[in-house]
Amino acid sequence: MNVVMRDAMRDVAKKAGERAELVSALLALTVYLTGLTLQLTGNGGPAAQALFVAAYVFGGFFTLREAVAALREGCFQVDFLMLVAAAGAAAIGRWEEGAVLLVLFSLGHALEEYAMGRARRSIEALGALAPRTALVRRTGAAEPVEVPVEELAVGDTVLVRPHTRVPADGFVAAGGSSVDQSPITGESVPADKTPVADRAAALADPAATDPGSRVYAGTVNGSGTLDVVVTRLAADNTLARVVRMVQDAEERTSPTQRFTDRFQKVFVPGVLVLVAALMGFGALSGEPFTDSFYRAMAVLVAASPCALAIATPAAVLSAVGRAARGGVLVKGGAPLEEFGRLSTLAFDKTGTLTEGRPRLTEALAADGAGREELLRTALATQRLSDHPLAQAVVRDAPALLAATPAAAGAAPEAVNLRAVIGRGVSAELDGEAVHIGSLSYADTLAGPPVPPALRERTEELARTGRTTMLVRRGDRWLGTLGLMDAPRPEAAGTVAALRTLGVTRTVMLSGDDQRVADAVAREVGMDEALGGLMPQDKVTEVARLRRTGRTAMIGDGVNDAPAMAGATVGVAMGAAGSAVALETADIALMSDDLRRLPFITGLSRRASRIIRQNLWLSLGIVAVLVPATALGLGIGPAVLVHEGSTLVVVANALRLLRHRDEG
């Protein structure tokens, strides 16, 4: 309870601090309007003057504090220009003009900070998802003990009751339930969770735990009760990492922000030179000093690039916060902007466009043999092997057998398995020799050769991207099996959606045979497929693609890390379960779901459009106001338009928080 109270008090203090600037601006507005009313009713004098001075104090306090902090770092910012203009208005006795300047500037700045705080709060809300306490099962205790999550240790077992949030990253040791993982992965459908088969093995290597047993802090348990073994400390769990990285992303400036920062460093001193030139021109032309000085101060206000300064950070912060809520971690404005301008996407094949595991897709019986005998013989033999292709046969053959007419009875058992590395296996089944392997392996066997019709069908399967295994029992060829790492069900739809969003070129990079790569590429709608690539070859291909335009590399964040590092933007899939992927990627899709790609592509493109809109609006306002004030527009109207444009820019950026998820 003490932890909860302490955090609650900290939140209250933080919110009070955020509102202080708005309160000060409202006080400045109140005293200014009161002074203005006295002046307009003929009751001005010392009372109105005192109220205008009070408006200076309330309106200028936070502005002065920020300007001084910037000057200590050697920076001239907009706040400094506004203070100079206000001081100049006071120097020539135009206290009401200086007051309205500081009132409107402080009010606009406070509303801007409030709006930006809304974007920041959408990010901070992620951190509030994790419970602050957990129910831990202790040895010898009849009931679970409630402790702060900071005190959890790796290996602790926590009780997660129905419809409560999971307090820590870990794996399910007992119980079963459906867990809503949308706060972390963005998945819309709850994921079923079952216990691990071997608790000790899962604790020794949590990264290898099946996703069906893995849970994350901040996700919501369904109707079942779970015993979860903690695998990460509270400060290092997936949710904490995401929150830290999203907050750090605010500090990573985008190319546009770097441009505006450089622009301001030159522009602000340039404005001061322009103001001095205007005053000098007024003196040479014989204009009264007060009129020249007032016009110069008005130009100073008009030229202050407030909206320009906030145009990019507001959009980046809103987009990064919206992406995080959708299960995508974007590490700053640079990858966000770059991804929004991409024309080429390069995909790893295995585990990215495909499911990452082979499936038995065809069982073609030879002439004179039956499909049932082919499958039963292969199943009996491959049960003895631990090869991934053998495991695929063992996993998928029963389903094909169930669909085979008259397939019934117990499966036979093979013995004496012998493996020929990289080519095939042999065993004995009911006293007969069984051989299963590639066509090249089949051609080395003594006895009858592969029948021409079966050879042709096998070669045809290979041309369509299948890995083939011929099956012979005794002297009889039973048929051929076709296996394939099947494309993800959502892959083709994702590629089509990316195309509609403006991606003009999609390329698949694979270490598999070119025929396999071509088959998968055709099925999912890729423009190009490059097979037979080693990791260093993928780096070379990504560099080649970058020479023709901005290129993103989408992979698993581990094996593809070199290629991702060489791309304009590196995107890792399934990063919720991989600390390496979280650290190495520029953009991380927290779930293993390709449909997050159109979401972040659409969001980043919209963010880029909004950034451009904000920049043009900001520069356009300055371009109009500077000559207008030079020709006589007063400080009051200038600052009203100026601060109004700043609020428009921020409101435009906040639209990104409502970006629709079409995935």
Side-chain angles (χ1 to χ4, degrees):
M1 185 61 69
N2 290 337
V3 174
V4 176
M5 289 295 294
R6 184 187 65 219
D7 290 344
M9 291 175 66
R10 186 185 300 128
D11 292 341
V12 170
K14 187 175 182 181
K15 290 177 182 177
E18 290 176 353
R19 292 174 181 168
E21 187 171 2
L22 181 58
V23 170
S24 182
L26 291 174
L27 286 172
L29 177 63
T30 301
V31 295
Y32 168 75
L33 291 176
T34 304
L36 184 64
T37 301
L38 290 176
Q39 194 175 61
L40 293 175
T41 57
N43 298 311
Q49 180 77 6
L51 289 169
F52 290 142
V53 172
Y56 263 72
V57 174
F58 289 124
F61 176 77
F62 287 97
T63 304
L64 178 62
R65 190 174 68 174
E66 292 186 18
V68 169
L71 285 173
R72 284 175 177 169
E73 296 178 4
C75 299
F76 285 98
Q77 292 188 340
V78 176
D79 309 70
F80 178 76
L81 296 183
M82 289 298 181
L83 287 170
V84 170
I92 59 175
R94 305 287 285 269
W95 286 90
E96 68 279 7
E97 295 279 4
V100 74
L101 165 62
L102 288 178
V103 166
L104 292 176
F105 181 73
S106 63
L107 192 60
H109 196 270
L111 291 174
E112 168 196 314
E113 284 297 313
Y114 179 79
M116 290 289 285
R118 179 182 168 193
R120 290 190 183 96
R121 284 190 290 274
S122 72
I123 294 172
E124 292 168 356
L126 292 172
L129 292 175
R132 293 193 172 107
T133 61
L135 296 173
V136 183
R137 295 193 185 277
R138 299 293 192 199
T139 303
E143 295 293 331
V145 179
E146 185 173 11
V147 301
V149 292
E150 292 83 1
E151 295 181 11
L152 292 176
V154 173
D156 281 347
T157 300
V158 297
L159 172 65
V160 185
R161 289 176 172 151
H163 309 299
T164 61
R165 291 191 181 272
V166 178
D169 283 11
F171 58 82
V172 178
S177 185
S178 293
V179 176
D180 178 5
Q181 300 187 146
S182 59
I184 302 296
T185 66
E187 296 168 281
S188 58
V189 179
D192 292 334
K193 300 297 178 182
T194 55
V196 295
D198 187 334
R199 173 172 172 158
L203 190 57
D205 188 9
T209 304
D210 185 271
S213 300
R214 193 183 302 164
V215 294
Y216 305 108
T219 55
V220 183
N221 186 23
S223 58
T225 298
L226 300 174
D227 275 7
V228 172
V229 176
V230 177
T231 56
R232 284 181 183 162
L233 301 178
D236 198 40
N237 64 39
T238 301
L239 182 61
R241 284 170 175 264
V242 170
V243 172
R244 280 199 304 273
M245 289 178 180
V246 171
Q247 290 171 339
D248 291 345
E250 187 182 348
E251 306 300 323
R252 296 177 60 182
T253 55
S254 67
T256 304
Q257 183 60 39
R258 289 194 291 272
F259 161 75
T260 56
D261 289 344
R262 290 195 301 269
F263 177 78
Q264 286 185 79
K265 288 180 180 179
V266 176
F267 184 73
V268 172
V271 169
L272 295 175
V273 171
L274 174 63
V275 166
L278 284 172
M279 292 179 63
F281 178 78
L284 292 174
S285 65
E287 184 180 39
F289 174 76
T290 55
D291 291 346
S292 299
F293 191 78
Y294 180 80
R295 181 182 291 108
M297 293 303 100
V299 169
L300 187 64
V301 172
S304 301
C306 296
L308 181 65
I310 200 66
T312 303
V316 168
L317 186 62
S318 298
V320 168
R322 176 63 187 95
R325 292 207 324 267
V328 181
L329 172 62
V330 182
K331 295 185 180 177
L336 177 74
E337 277 198 58
E338 294 289 6
F339 202 75
R341 300 170 182 171
L342 288 170
S343 58
T344 303
L345 294 183
F347 293 82
D348 174 52
K349 180 185 79 70
T350 304
T352 302
L353 289 171
T354 65
E355 295 177 342
R357 60 176 185 173
R359 290 187 176 277
L360 177 60
T361 55
E362 285 89 14
L364 306 179
D367 295 338
R371 190 167 186 260
E372 177 190 352
E373 184 183 10
L374 167 65
L375 287 168
R376 287 187 178 279
T377 300
L379 180 58
T381 304
Q382 300 288 36
R383 275 202 184 105
L384 304 178
S385 173
D386 59 359
H387 191 279
L389 293 179
Q391 292 175 351
V393 172
V394 173
R395 183 187 64 242
D396 299 336
L400 296 181
L401 271 172
T404 302
E413 294 185 5
V415 294
N416 299 329
L417 180 78
R418 294 180 298 278
V420 180
I421 303 300
R423 307 187 72 180
V425 296
S426 65
E428 293 180 15
L429 182 64
D430 295 335
E432 291 184 291
V434 174
H435 298 278
I436 301 177
S438 64
L439 188 58
S440 60
Y441 172 65
D443 288 338
T444 65
L445 299 176
V450 179
L454 181 60
R455 178 183 292 274
E456 183 177 342
R457 296 171 78 181
T458 302
E459 291 174 342
E460 177 61 28
L461 282 178
R463 283 193 291 272
T464 61
R466 271 60 173 175
T467 298
T468 58
M469 295 192 295
L470 288 151
V471 181
R472 192 177 94 175
R473 182 171 179 175
D475 289 336
R476 297 171 54 239
W477 290 97
L478 302 183
T480 188
L481 304 176
L483 296 96
M484 187 178 185
D485 181 10
R488 294 171 181 263
E490 71 272 18
T494 296
V495 173
L498 291 170
R499 217 174 288 282
T500 63
L501 289 168
V503 175
T504 58
R505 187 182 186 189
T506 54
V507 182
M508 187 180 74
L509 308 179
S510 174
D512 284 339
D513 181 82
Q514 185 65 49
R515 293 177 300 179
V516 176
D518 288 338
V520 173
R522 282 194 299 271
E523 193 165 344
V524 302
M526 288 276 132
D527 295 318
E528 301 174 43
L530 302 173
L533 301 178
M534 298 296 287
Q536 61 269 27
D537 299 325
K538 293 182 181 180
V539 174
T540 302
E541 291 300 329
V542 167
R544 179 182 65 83
L545 292 171
R546 283 197 67 177
R547 287 195 289 272
T548 63
R550 293 182 176 89
T551 301
M553 175 68 191
I554 297 99
D556 62 11
V558 182
N559 297 329
D560 302 309
M564 288 167 58
T568 309
V569 180
V571 182
M573 286 185 55
S578 170
V580 176
L582 274 176
E583 297 291 343
T584 59
D586 298 309
I587 296 176
L589 311 184
M590 302 305 290
S591 66
D592 198 27
D593 185 355
L594 275 173
R595 288 170 295 188
R596 296 290 85 201
L597 269 177
F599 163 69
I600 189 56
T601 302
L603 177 62
S604 59
R605 273 164 158 65
R606 188 180 182 193
S608 294
R609 288 196 300 271
I610 284 178
I611 288 171
R612 288 195 296 271
Q613 292 166 6
N614 286 350
L615 288 177
W616 282 113
L617 175 63
S618 307
L619 294 172
I621 291 293
V622 171
V624 171
L625 278 183
V626 168
T629 49
L631 294 174
L633 184 69
I635 288 178
V639 75
L640 185 63
V641 173
H642 201 280
E643 292 308 306
S645 69
T646 302
L647 294 179
V648 169
V649 161
V650 173
N652 192 34
L654 289 179
R655 293 191 298 130
L656 291 167
L657 291 174
R658 300 191 301 273
H659 180 76
R660 293 179 59 187
D661 186 350
E662 304 292 347

